[in-house]
Amino acid sequence: MTFEVIIVFITLALMLTALATDKMRPGMILFSAVVVFLCTGILSPKELLAGFSNKGMITVALLFLVSEGIRQSGALTQFIKKLLPQEKTSVLKAQLRILPTITVISAFLNNTPVVVIFAPIIKRWANYLKLPATYFLIPLSYATILGGICTLIGTSTNLVVHSMIEDAGMKGFGMFELGKVGIFIALAGIIYLLLFSTRLLPADRPENLSEDDKKPSTYHLVEAILGARFPGINKRISEFDFQRHYGAEIKEIRRNGHTYNDISKLRFREGDTLLLLADDSFIKTWGESSVFLMLANGKDYEPAGKKKRWFALSLLIFMITGATVSELPAVQEYLPEGLELDMFFFVAITTVIMAWTKIFPPQKYTKYISWDILITIACAFAISKAMENSGVSNILAQYIIGLSASYGPYVLLAILFIITNIFTELITNNAAAALSFPIALSLSQQLGVNPMPFFVVICMAASASFSTPIGYQTNLIVQGIGNYKFTDFLRIGLPLNIITFLISIFVVPQIWPF
């Protein structure tokens, strides 16, 4: 082995360990790795910085703002209220109405705001109709994931892989191209949830939601899910004065399906759900802070006017339609030289219009972008390049080919799916795609086959994070508000991982032949 290969293998092993053990935010862990590659000459400064100017990464950043505009317009809140049945119904009938619709919505919007808005409303609605909320919250998260795999903009992973394909000198994905296989996975996933969610998920776990009678009437209960930027993470609760920082009193903490009332010896963890006693100003003050993943006080956000909601939806339709129509050969033929009407073009226009019409507050636009995800994506491009430059991707590809030399590309496709899926459950979806992409490219080159089936499988496997609450932020959110245990995700999510695996391996090569 060469010096470069050894350095890359050691750095990747340390990086994966740090990600799996949550030593710090993923963006900083990946940035640390690429700095090591820079210092050892494996990456040039230009190669390190290339990801930060990548069109796919910037498109993801702008999509955060578009999703925030839709959220603040109140369109999603009004929609889910009309969608939920208001009369006595069964779990199956309600899921049949909710899950397909949420899947379609999440194909075009960032998953996190969809879950943040819908989860507390669905929980309150389920309690009102005396239906177990636990039968709806994990399916809500899974439905947004299933929708995300169906379009280019449904999840940041698809855009990352799309950009890596273009960087490799090949044509990337069309707007709905991934839907050719994604729709089969989404349909199978929804049918699975309809048939088995009530059998595999627990009924409601009891929660202590009694108000403190000694407090003034302006105080009420608030559910707060801690995000990674909460300053007390890993500190003992007795050592962190939460009331002084946030003006609210912690009544209990819910974690991994358990409720803790004696909390003085506990340490704060990301994803903890805190039941707080707070006044009316708490959500106004902290509602847009990245300190909390979600805040819910049993009330809805004040919706914007009807005109603003319809204008926001019109802009979203313009963005999707424009990006789709511009892919048609007839349109491409008449475009002036140098003008590229792609997803980035229409997302940029939509974002600027939303800012100037104040669909989202333009003075606060930096708050709505998840910078850690963007840094993770930018560094993912550099890590992929380092694996290519050092020859690590070729070595891994040769090893995988050696394991299945007599079985053909189908087995290699299966191995690539499993590797990517394990990565995405333990670390992050974008990092998983970054590690798998150069291996996929080397596999296809060494076999002399079409690389597209391998690229599509990476997209499906990196998004199929169903078995753990830590692989996807939406899973972490519903774990807190639904008071689920880790094993609840494993019980219902593992079969869904297997369904995604089987459909991907058998359907992808039929649509994108080797």
Side-chain angles (χ1 to χ4, degrees), residues 88 96 192 214-215 221 298 333 348 386 435 490 494 508:
K88 190 67 176 176
L96 195 56
Y192 165 75
K214 296 180 181 179
K215 291 287 183 181
L221 292 171
E333 187 179 342
L435 293 173
L490 189 62
L494 186 58
V508 167

Side-chain angles (χ1 to χ4, degrees), residues 88-335:
K88 190 67 176 176
T89 186
S90 67
V91 172
L92 180 61
K93 287 181 180 178
Q95 286 182 339
L96 195 56
R97 191 169 179 175
I98 296 168
L99 297 184
T101 310
I102 289 173
T103 301
V104 172
I105 292 171
S106 63
F108 304 105
L109 292 175
N110 186 280
N111 295 358
T112 302
V114 173
V115 172
V116 165
I117 291 170
F118 287 4
I121 295 175
I122 288 175
K123 181 179 179 180
R124 191 164 65 249
W125 162 83
N127 290 337
Y128 173 74
L129 290 184
K130 295 182 171 53
L131 296 173
T134 44
Y135 289 162
F136 296 95
L137 295 174
I138 280 182
L140 164 66
S141 178
Y142 287 177
T144 63
I145 295 172
L146 291 169
I149 64 177
C150 294
T151 67
L152 178 61
I153 63 171
T155 172
S156 59
T157 308
N158 293 350
L159 279 165
V160 167
V161 176
H162 167 77
S163 296
M164 287 182 171
I165 295 171
E166 291 188 326
D167 287 349
M170 292 172 277
K171 187 175 183 297
F173 299 125
M175 179 65 178
F176 295 101
E177 188 173 0
L178 290 168
K180 293 175 183 177
V181 63
I183 191 70
F184 290 107
I185 296 171
L187 286 172
I190 290 170
I191 292 170
Y192 165 75
L193 291 171
L194 291 172
L195 294 177
F196 295 100
S197 59
T198 54
R199 303 179 190 183
L200 298 175
L201 288 172
D204 275 328
R205 292 194 173 96
E207 298 176 1
N208 177 18
L209 298 175
S210 59
E211 300 276 359
D212 188 342
D213 295 330
K214 296 180 181 179
K215 291 287 183 181
S217 59
T218 54
Y219 280 71
H220 45 76
L221 292 171
V222 174
E223 285 181 295
I225 300 178
L226 299 184
R229 294 190 183 182
F230 176 69
I233 293 291
N234 294 327
K235 292 183 180 179
R236 288 189 186 277
I237 293 172
S238 57
E239 298 170 356
F240 185 88
D241 194 339
F242 189 94
Q243 190 154 16
R244 183 177 66 83
H245 279 81
Y246 301 105
E249 178 186 346
I250 303 175
K251 302 299 292 181
E252 65 183 36
I253 289 182
R254 296 199 293 270
R255 175 188 297 167
N256 197 24
H258 299 288
T259 299
Y260 300 92
N261 299 109
D262 184 9
I263 60 175
S264 58
K265 295 181 181 179
L266 292 178
R267 294 181 184 271
F268 289 112
R269 293 182 187 171
E270 182 183 356
D272 279 352
T273 297
L274 276 54
L275 191 67
L276 308 174
L277 204 58
D279 62 18
D280 293 329
S281 66
F282 182 81
I283 286 189
K284 290 181 182 178
T285 304
W286 300 104
E288 295 179 358
S289 169
S290 56
V291 167
F292 303 104
L293 296 178
M294 191 195 77
L295 296 175
N297 64 349
K299 301 176 183 178
D300 298 327
Y301 293 107
E302 288 297 322
K306 185 178 287 188
K307 288 183 179 179
K308 191 173 184 179
R309 291 201 299 272
W310 280 110
F311 183 59
L313 289 174
S314 299
L315 287 174
L316 180 65
I317 293 169
F318 159 77
M319 180 187 82
I320 296 164
T321 305
T324 305
V325 172
S326 64
E327 295 173 358
L328 299 175
V331 176
Q332 293 284 338
E333 187 179 342
Y334 292 101
L335 288 179

